[in-house]
Amino acid sequence: MFCGEAMTTANISRDILHRQIRDKRAASFQRFYHVTDPFIKRLGLEAELQGHTGCVNCLEWNERGDLLASGSDDQHAIIWDPFRHKKLTTMHTGHAANIFSVKFLPHSGDRILVTGAADTKVHVHDLTVKETIHMFSDHTNRVKRIATAPMWPNTFWSAAEDGIIRQYDLRENSKHSEVLIDLTEFCGQLVEAKCLAVNPRDNNYLAVGANGPFVRLYDIRMIHNYRKSLSQSTSAAVHTFCERQKPIPDGAGQYYVAGHLPVKLPDYNNRLRVLVATYVTFSPDGTELLVNMGGEQVYLFDLTFKQRPYTFLLPKKCQSSTGDVQNGKTTNGVSNGIHLPAGHIRFAGSKMQFSSNELPPHLEKIKQQANDAFARQQWTQAIQLYSLGIHQASSNAMLYGNRAAAYMKRKWDGDHYDALRDCLKALSLNPGHLKAHFRLARCLFELKYVAEALECLDDFKGKFPEQAHSSACDALDKDIKAALYSKSESEDKKANSSIRFHSFSRKESIPEDELELRERSFDYKHRYCGHCNTTTDIKEANFFGSKGQYIVSGSDDGSFFIWEKETTNLVRILQGDESIVNCLQPHPSYCFLATSGIDPVVRLWNPRPETDSENGRVVEDMEGAAQANQRRMNADPLEVMLLNMGYRITGLRGVGPDGSDDEDSSEGQVQCRPS
């Protein structure tokens, strides 16, 4: 794999020598080598820490990594010596319900611990005397997460299911907090804040996850400055009429969302499948945001090189050539949308450049292996091999086109959107890529962009007239027109029905400010598949390694999953709990991982000696485990209950093969089967 190859190119002997001669190199040596591919492959269970009597819902390392804190349903917090596998401190936190979050307060000498719980309270504890020194009762629903900032030793934040993010400053007020963000002002009274995190490199930025597909990033500094200016202007002037003041200033909030989720949301709601961000965290360098999306997958957002969601936009009227259209608006900048003025495909914000399909021998071998896996209908293996090739040859259009075909065949949640992204990338590299253009039309249809799919298909026929009457084109054309007819018929019925059924909707209206922020959302960079996150709303996903080389996540099947960050390939699955793994907290400087879940224990994992006997907790059939989790995510509640009881279920929704086109190495014909 990629990281293993990176290891072989490094001169380890030279680095060891420099570490011995120059002590200042020791830290960088440790950071570079502490999590590597060989270590990941040898990761195994070191110890089980026993002491709690209920589910362990939260874990937290101190800054040096020599202490580990845990909180549980038993309302106790325990401080462990993880290297000696010993309990150092056990204390009842004073909470009357499950503890969901524990945090060491920075620069407190590991003396101060903050806890949040289901009793709606936030408590501050002095561990040296085992006493609760501050109790905050400002929230009105369960407190799910506490966040701290490395540079602000007296300040912390909480997120609760009352939809409010609160800020605490122990210097100013040790009994009450202030409301930093009230999500109910944007999303209605039913919104619940589930998680939050502070950027470790710039503590002014706070990420917030709640129910719904959108993840919010706020500039704390801008919010405080705005409110300060408001209070000054209010005291200095008399207002003779009521003015609505914005709760958050323009520019202080930025939204991130997987581009297909807003479109999929009604479908998920109809199937009682809840989308909720269960965990958010920043990369070690603060440039990326990782989100575990309950009911869906794990997503990585790039905060530096942002990209708009990929949408296919076909303006009805002639647009100005000075700007690009994105979400119905002119952006005057780079967008990922494409539209078809004058009947020809054009890519907004990208140059028409052809890339060579020639690959060096080692990548040609990988591509052939991927094609062979595709021929065997091993879609996930094909995707992983194509991804490995793309990581090393990111301008090869054929690899993107082939991976799109594999995504369309596998048909997991989000696969058609990833396929659409790959088709657009392939066409940006090679506008004459016949298969990518046809697959783009199919993806748009599967994503319910039906009118856009028809226009894309018409453009395909104009561009490749020899394919216009192929069986594949005819079949897709028939499907699209049937869907358009069904859609127009349902709209006619809705228009003819009594207006009173539509005027008094119980659904709360969304303010214009919120709609605008959602429209300006940025899309994800990478997606990680295989785990299942539908049962608990505290399930974590974290970066593993000083440079965040790996991604780890818990799962409803009792396992935890490890992916390479850049290729998104799944590299290891380990059984971490008898039921569900919720928490995964990597050590700050060693290849050492703490996990917990429904079991009343904390498990510690590190690379085992090569002489060790076989690790019984390794899940060997990774593809089978991922496939089973995909079935679990798409099952109805009764099927999940039966699955948890140990019954074998076949034929669950959402995992059968689709009728999209086959792939081969030739680019001359579109090989298709009718749906």
Side-chain angles (χ1 to χ4, degrees):
M1 303 299 279
F2 164 69
C3 290
E5 290 172 4
M7 279 284 293
T8 60
T9 59
N11 190 330
I12 298 177
S13 301
R14 181 198 61 203
D15 290 343
I16 290 174
L17 185 62
H18 285 160
R19 182 185 64 169
Q20 293 171 335
I21 296 172
R22 305 176 185 174
D23 187 55
K24 66 180 181 180
R25 290 284 185 94
S28 62
F29 177 91
Q30 179 178 311
R31 279 197 298 270
F32 188 82
Y33 290 112
H34 89 272
V35 178
T36 59
D37 194 52
F39 286 169
I40 291 293
K41 288 176 179 172
R42 284 165 43 203
L43 201 67
L45 181 65
E46 177 185 296
E48 292 184 349
L49 306 181
Q50 301 190 10
H52 285 294
T53 58
C55 306
V56 181
N57 302 317
C58 45
L59 300 169
E60 179 73 9
W61 294 96
N62 67 339
E63 189 178 359
R64 290 194 307 274
D66 58 351
L67 298 176
L68 178 68
S70 60
S72 168
D73 284 359
D74 63 15
Q75 301 149 29
H76 284 74
I78 298 180
I79 309 300
W80 308 87
D81 179 339
F83 300 108
R84 294 184 179 142
H85 311 152
K86 288 174 55 179
K87 277 189 291 187
L88 299 178
T89 303
T90 303
M91 68 172 291
H92 193 284
T93 57
H95 287 295
N98 316 37
I99 298 171
F100 288 126
S101 192
V102 293
K103 286 284 183 181
F104 287 101
L105 205 59
H107 308 291
S108 68
D110 302 323
R111 183 173 61 92
I112 305 299
L113 190 75
V114 185
T115 57
D119 61 1
T120 78
K121 307 291 194 297
V122 173
H123 289 179
V124 181
H125 315 277
D126 187 329
L127 295 173
T128 56
V129 293
K130 295 172 66 171
E131 287 185 1
T132 303
I133 54 177
H134 303 297
M135 290 188 288
F136 297 91
S137 305
D138 299 326
H139 282 297
T140 59
N141 209 331
R142 301 193 302 174
V143 178
K144 300 310 290 283
R145 289 287 173 184
I146 304 294
T148 58
M151 301 308 296
W152 296 354
N154 296 289
T155 305
F156 59 93
W157 297 264
S158 62
E161 290 177 343
D162 55 11
I164 293 175
I165 310 301
R166 290 187 170 274
Q167 179 169 311
Y168 306 77
D169 190 332
L170 297 178
R171 296 166 302 180
E172 294 183 1
N173 197 324
S174 60
K175 294 184 179 179
H176 296 288
S177 59
E178 67 169 304
V179 174
L180 180 69
I181 301 154
D182 185 349
L183 293 179
T184 65
E185 295 178 326
F186 303 97
C187 309
Q189 295 299 315
L190 300 179
V191 68
E192 298 177 347
K194 298 287 188 179
C195 50
L196 76 168
V198 173
N199 191 316
R201 288 300 176 94
D202 187 343
N203 296 171
N204 292 303
Y205 289 96
L206 180 80
V208 175
N211 44 336
F214 296 92
V215 176
R216 297 154 171 89
L217 182 64
Y218 295 101
D219 188 326
I220 301 170
R221 173 186 44 194
M222 286 183 68
I223 294 173
H224 283 306
N225 290 343
Y226 172 72
R227 290 181 183 166
K228 187 176 179 181
S229 66
L230 275 184
S231 63
Q232 290 173 348
S233 64
T234 303
S235 60
V238 178
H239 294 278
T240 56
F241 57 90
C242 181
E243 288 182 339
R244 180 187 175 272
Q245 301 290 354
K246 290 185 177 182
I248 302 290
D250 291 334
Q254 178 61 66
Y255 286 16
Y256 293 84
V257 68
H260 63 291
L261 289 186
V263 180
K264 291 286 290 181
L265 193 56
D267 179 46
Y268 286 168
N269 289 340
N270 291 338
R271 291 155 57 193
L272 302 178
R273 185 169 171 184
V274 179
L275 289 182
V276 54
T278 63
Y279 195 75
V280 293
T281 188
F282 291 91
S283 60
D285 63 3
T287 64
E288 296 169 325
L289 181 64
L290 188 69
V291 179
N292 201 339
M293 183 58 64
E296 251 273 338
Q297 321 283 10
V298 174
Y299 291 97
L300 180 75
F301 297 93
D302 193 321
L303 305 181
T304 306
F305 300 102
K306 304 172 185 176
Q307 59 186 31
R308 295 290 182 195
Y310 287 71
T311 52
F312 191 89
L313 302 162
L314 301 162
K316 301 302 177 190
K317 293 187 288 186
C318 183
Q319 297 286 339
S320 166
S321 61
T322 57
D324 297 316
V325 176
Q326 180 64 36
N327 289 330
K329 297 186 177 181
T330 300
T331 62
N332 294 319
V334 174
S335 82
N336 290 323
I338 66 174
H339 57 278
L340 307 177
H344 295 288
I345 201 161
R346 183 170 77 81
F347 294 84
S350 66
K351 296 179 180 178
M352 289 282 199
Q353 55 177 9
F354 291 84
S355 65
S356 171
N357 284 323
E358 293 295 322
L359 289 169
H362 74 286
L363 291 182
E364 186 63 41
K365 183 178 179 182
I366 288 173
K367 190 196 86 169
Q368 190 54 54
Q369 290 172 342
N371 287 351
D372 292 344
F374 190 100
R376 295 191 303 270
Q377 299 187 5
Q378 295 175 330
W379 316 126
T380 298
Q381 186 180 349
I383 289 166
Q384 294 212 357
L385 287 164
Y386 288 134
S387 297
L388 192 60
I390 286 169
H391 182 70
Q392 299 177 56
S394 59
S395 61
N396 186 277
M398 187 183 291
L399 289 174
Y400 286 103
N402 288 5
R403 188 171 68 175
Y407 278 132
M408 293 169 73
K409 283 291 190 180
R410 189 176 70 170
K411 209 177 180 182
W412 287 4
D413 296 321
D415 275 359
H416 272 104
Y417 185 66
D418 255 352
L420 177 139
R421 288 161 52 113
D422 277 353
C423 289
L424 289 171
K425 181 65 175 177
L427 287 167
S428 71
L429 293 167
N430 177 7
H433 197 310
L434 180 149
K435 288 186 177 184
H437 196 152
F438 182 81
R439 290 189 192 112
L440 179 59
R442 166 62 69 178
C443 288
L444 289 163
F445 172 71
E446 296 289 348
L447 291 166
K448 298 188 179 358
Y449 292 113
V450 186
E452 292 85 349
L454 181 60
E455 296 200 45
C456 182
L457 185 61
D458 287 344
D459 190 69
F460 173 82
K461 291 176 181 178
K463 195 171 182 182
F464 305 103
E466 70 281 3
Q467 297 290 338
H469 299 291
S470 65
S471 59
C473 274
D474 288 344
L476 182 54
D477 189 88
K478 184 178 177 182
D479 288 345
I480 292 171
K481 286 175 179 173
L484 281 172
Y485 176 76
S486 173
K487 187 177 180 182
S488 63
E489 197 174 48
S490 65
E491 286 173 353
D492 288 342
K493 285 180 181 177
K494 198 177 288 184
N496 293 330
S497 63
S498 172
I499 194 168
R500 65 189 177 90
F501 290 109
H502 306 289
S503 299
F504 302 101
S505 171
R506 289 194 296 175
K507 187 177 180 181
E508 299 179 72
S509 60
I510 299 172
E512 286 296 323
D513 296 348
E514 173 72 3
L515 287 173
E516 191 172 333
L517 283 166
R518 292 183 183 187
E519 280 189 11
R520 299 204 315 251
S521 295
F522 289 112
D523 201 6
Y524 65 89
K525 178 183 179 183
H526 291 314
R527 179 177 67 116
Y528 306 92
C529 304
H531 80 310
C532 181
N533 181 9
T534 57
T535 306
T536 59
D537 62 358
I538 56 172
K539 199 167 280 94
E540 299 177 351
N542 257 307
F543 294 91
F544 193 17
S546 59
K547 297 184 179 180
Q549 307 97 304
Y550 296 89
I551 303 296
V552 294
S553 173
S555 178
D556 290 344
D557 63 352
S559 302
F560 65 92
F561 288 65
I562 307 176
W563 299 268
E564 284 183 329
K565 188 187 83 172
E566 290 303 326
T567 66
T568 74
N569 287 345
L570 182 62
V571 294
R572 196 141 170 95
I573 305 176
L574 291 159
Q575 191 71 24
D577 194 274
E578 290 302 311
S579 182
I580 297 171
V581 176
N582 282 322
C583 306
L584 304 97
Q585 289 295 322
H587 190 277
S589 52
Y590 299 143
C591 188
F592 199 32
L593 186 68
T595 67
S596 67
I598 302 302
D599 295 344
V601 300
V602 178
R603 292 186 170 91
L604 301 176
W605 310 79
N606 68 6
R608 309 313 299 152
E610 292 177 346
T611 55
D612 263 18
S613 59
E614 186 155 341
N615 188 340
R617 287 186 171 267
V618 175
V619 177
E620 299 289 353
D621 182 10
M622 294 195 294
E623 188 167 345
Q627 184 83 7
N629 278 332
Q630 187 66 199
R631 287 198 298 269
R632 184 190 293 260
M633 280 208 295
N634 284 280
D636 64 31
L638 175 62
E639 289 170 327
V640 172
M641 182 180 73
L642 292 172
L643 198 64
N644 289 335
M645 291 169 62
Y647 292 98
R648 181 176 178 83
I649 302 172
T650 59
L652 300 186
R653 294 191 305 273
V655 294
D658 66 356
S660 51
D661 49 296
D662 294 324
E663 176 65 4
D664 58 25
S665 58
S666 70
E667 292 294 310
Q669 299 290 323
V670 179
Q671 303 292 330
C672 303
R673 286 197 306 267
S675 297

